[in-house]
Amino acid sequence: MGQHGDASESISGPAVIGTVVSVVLTIAVSVTVCICRCHRRKLLRETSFGSSSSSQSLPNNGRRADSSSPRSTISDPSKRMSPVSPAIPILPQSFSMPLPQTKTYIKTSSSDTLSIDPGLVSTDYCIENEVNQRSPRLDAIENKLDQIRERMETVPPPTTLGTLNFSVGYDVHKSAFRVTIHKANDLPIRDPQSGSADPYIKLCLLPDKKHKVKTRVLRRTRNPVFEETFTFFGLERGQLPGISLHFSVLSFDRFSRDHLIGEVTMSLAKVDMTEGEVTMTGEIVGKQTKQQQKPSGKGEILVSLCYQPAANRLSVVILKARNLTGYNLMGPADPFVKLCLLQGDQKLAKKKTHVKRHTSNPVFNESFIFDVPSEGLEDMTVELQVLDHDRVSKNDQIGRLTFGGRAKTPSTLEHWKEVCENPRRQIAKWHDLQQGH
């Protein structure tokens, strides 16, 4: 019995000491947490009292912070901070920067606008508004475009670009007018790589232009066969003589806008459909518009531009070129593109693409990022040179292109204007290369 009692006393001693230490630590931690919470609440009450007193002490001509306005920097700190969050120093209202009263919106393209719920943002000011404001540079670009348009001459009489075969008919019982697009023949080449085109047809009824339809795209053919019928209901027979059919023949391009091959316009004034369908063939002619610029015969290049004002960056994507005229002893040229960014007369950056061997229709697909000044695209110029690489002598220039302040052609001016008016949007267009100098 004695030995058993001594063993129990030797075991219970350390256990009692450990229990006492754990209780003391628990009490110390609890007291520390309570002191921290009380101190934090005291700081919050003092800050709230100081903010309200400073807003009441403003002079009569000053503007008090409106708690309902999204521009208020501090309206009620107790609502913005959790009592268990760490203490964050709060600047007095005298350090808040006033923001201009402008409407919040983000323009994503020329046709749609992304609107923002005012309740989801803490300010009605957007940095992109500075870009969307009209700048003197855009006015200068428009003035230059107007001057060039005044000197433009009308295009010579259109040439034949193939033929379009179609038929028309009228169903008296259903009051339905039918147009069947059969086929097109001898279309011009629009894709130099395949030596063909990707045609499709758009049809609308003039003069109202209310009924618009289009066929499917047929790949890699200059003689497409569509055999598609379109029915227009609700047209009386007496209305048909005043209607004209307008066909637009286009070639699909997955990199940029589709190419307009030509048009066919056919009046129904002298078409007799009493005995059934009437088949007709129309010549495809070029659209009669004012010429934008004389082709230099140097070839074309597809360029995509995008301006990112928040990051002060301009991205230039060299996609591809076609019908380049450079040749050497070994055959087609070895083209590559040099890019140069200028501000006024000062060169800021230079870049270049890889060389494409022995081709007149190179595909580059190379993107370049340029850092631009915080002032934006004011007085900025992007120069492109398409060169024929030569290992022995100096590289020969095939053609050049200029965007921005030094641009002199309508296509590059309109492209640059569209980039300035639509930030963060990639805009790709074909341009004829100009003679180098």
Side-chain angles (χ1 to χ4, degrees):
M1 292 293 294
Q3 293 178 355
H4 181 72
D6 294 341
S8 62
E9 289 178 359
S10 62
I11 293 173
S12 61
V16 171
I17 294 174
T19 302
V20 172
V21 171
S22 62
V23 170
V24 171
L25 291 176
T26 302
I27 295 174
V29 171
S30 301
V31 171
T32 303
V33 171
C34 291
I35 292 174
C36 292
R37 289 184 177 180
C38 293
H39 182 65
R40 188 175 294 109
R41 290 175 182 175
K42 182 178 179 181
L43 288 176
L44 291 175
R45 286 195 297 270
E46 291 177 356
T47 306
S48 177
F49 177 76
S51 174
S52 60
S53 62
S54 62
S55 62
Q56 294 176 0
S57 63
L58 289 173
N60 293 331
N61 58 355
R63 296 182 61 185
R64 293 185 56 185
D66 187 3
S67 59
S68 63
S69 173
R71 294 173 59 238
S72 300
T73 305
I74 301 175
S75 58
D76 190 358
S78 62
K79 295 181 180 179
R80 296 179 178 234
M81 298 181 61
S82 172
V84 297
S85 61
I88 301 176
I90 303 177
L91 295 176
Q93 288 190 348
S94 59
F95 286 92
S96 63
M97 182 175 65
L99 300 176
Q101 294 283 349
T102 53
K103 186 178 180 180
T104 302
Y105 67 93
I106 297 177
K107 188 171 183 181
T108 57
S109 68
S110 59
S111 59
D112 55 339
T113 302
L114 178 62
S115 59
I116 300 177
D117 187 0
L120 300 179
V121 294
S122 60
T123 175
D124 58 349
Y125 175 73
C126 180
I127 190 171
E128 301 302 339
N129 291 332
E130 297 179 358
V131 179
N132 292 327
Q133 293 176 358
R134 195 163 190 84
S135 64
R137 175 60 58 185
L138 290 179
D139 294 334
I141 293 175
E142 283 194 351
N143 293 335
K144 191 179 293 186
L145 278 171
D146 293 336
Q147 294 174 3
I148 295 176
R149 290 191 181 105
E150 289 177 358
R151 298 193 299 265
M152 288 181 179
E153 301 175 355
T154 57
V155 171
T159 58
T160 302
L161 300 170
T163 58
L164 179 66
N165 182 259
F166 61 95
S167 60
V168 295
Y170 186 77
D171 189 338
V172 180
H173 301 288
K174 297 182 180 179
S175 296
F177 174 60
R178 296 189 305 273
V179 179
T180 301
I181 300 177
H182 297 292
K183 60 182 179 178
N185 296 316
D186 301 325
L187 298 181
I189 296 174
R190 283 295 178 264
D191 187 357
Q193 290 185 338
S194 62
S196 184
D198 299 325
Y200 67 98
I201 311 293
K202 284 185 177 181
L203 167 64
C204 72
L205 305 185
L206 301 178
D208 295 336
K209 295 184 179 181
K210 292 182 179 180
H211 303 85
K212 296 182 179 180
V213 294
K214 65 180 179 179
T215 68
R216 67 191 186 279
V217 177
L218 298 182
R219 302 288 184 178
R220 297 186 177 184
T221 176
R222 296 176 56 198
N223 300 284
V225 178
F226 298 100
E227 295 297 342
E228 296 188 38
T229 301
F230 303 96
T231 304
F232 304 92
F233 295 94
L235 293 177
E236 301 295 336
R237 183 184 290 274
Q239 297 177 267
L240 297 182
I243 293 177
S244 296
L245 304 180
H246 181 265
F247 300 89
S248 297
V249 185
L250 301 102
S251 179
F252 176 76
D253 192 327
R254 65 190 181 98
F255 290 103
S256 63
R257 292 181 180 178
D258 298 342
H259 303 284
L260 177 63
I261 296 176
E263 301 173 321
V264 176
T265 303
M266 185 68 66
S267 175
L268 300 179
K270 298 181 180 181
V271 179
D272 186 8
M273 291 176 278
T274 56
E275 297 182 359
E277 289 192 351
V278 178
T279 302
M280 295 178 285
T281 300
E283 291 186 351
I284 303 173
V285 296
K287 187 175 181 180
Q288 297 188 24
T289 58
K290 292 183 178 181
Q291 65 179 7
Q292 294 186 346
Q293 69 184 75
K294 288 185 177 181
S296 62
K298 297 292 183 180
E300 298 176 274
I301 186 169
L302 181 59
V303 182
S304 177
L305 302 175
C306 177
Y307 175 48
Q308 302 174 5
N312 291 327
R313 289 181 177 178
L314 175 68
S315 66
V316 181
V317 183
I318 307 298
L319 294 169
K320 59 181 180 178
R322 63 189 180 192
N323 301 327
L324 299 181
T325 57
Y327 283 89
N328 52 39
L329 297 177
M330 302 299 295
D334 300 328
F336 70 101
V337 182
K338 288 180 66 175
L339 303 88
C340 182
L341 179 68
L342 300 94
Q343 184 178 23
D345 296 328
Q346 180 183 3
K347 292 185 179 181
L348 301 182
K350 294 191 297 183
K351 301 178 185 292
K352 64 179 180 179
T353 67
H354 293 87
V355 177
K356 301 298 179 179
R357 300 293 180 185
H358 308 303
T359 176
S360 298
N361 303 289
V363 177
F364 297 100
N365 285 335
E366 296 188 41
S367 177
F368 304 93
I369 304 296
F370 293 99
D371 294 327
V372 299
S374 58
E375 295 83 3
L377 299 181
E378 296 290 335
D379 202 28
M380 302 300 297
T381 301
V382 177
E383 291 185 350
L384 306 182
Q385 295 185 66
V386 181
L387 302 169
D388 181 10
H389 182 259
D390 195 322
R391 296 181 180 179
V392 180
S393 61
K394 184 179 179 180
N395 299 326
D396 298 324
Q397 185 181 96
I398 299 174
R400 64 186 300 124
L401 209 59
T402 304
F403 298 92
R406 296 184 178 181
K408 296 181 180 180
T409 58
S411 65
T412 54
L413 282 170
E414 291 177 355
H415 195 173
W416 189 258
K417 176 187 172 184
E418 194 171 348
V419 170
C420 294
E421 291 179 343
N422 298 277
R424 305 180 314 279
R425 178 185 169 195
Q426 287 282 354
I427 302 175
K429 289 187 177 183
W430 282 100
H431 299 280
D432 288 326
L433 293 173
Q434 301 301 301
Q435 183 71 35
H437 60 272

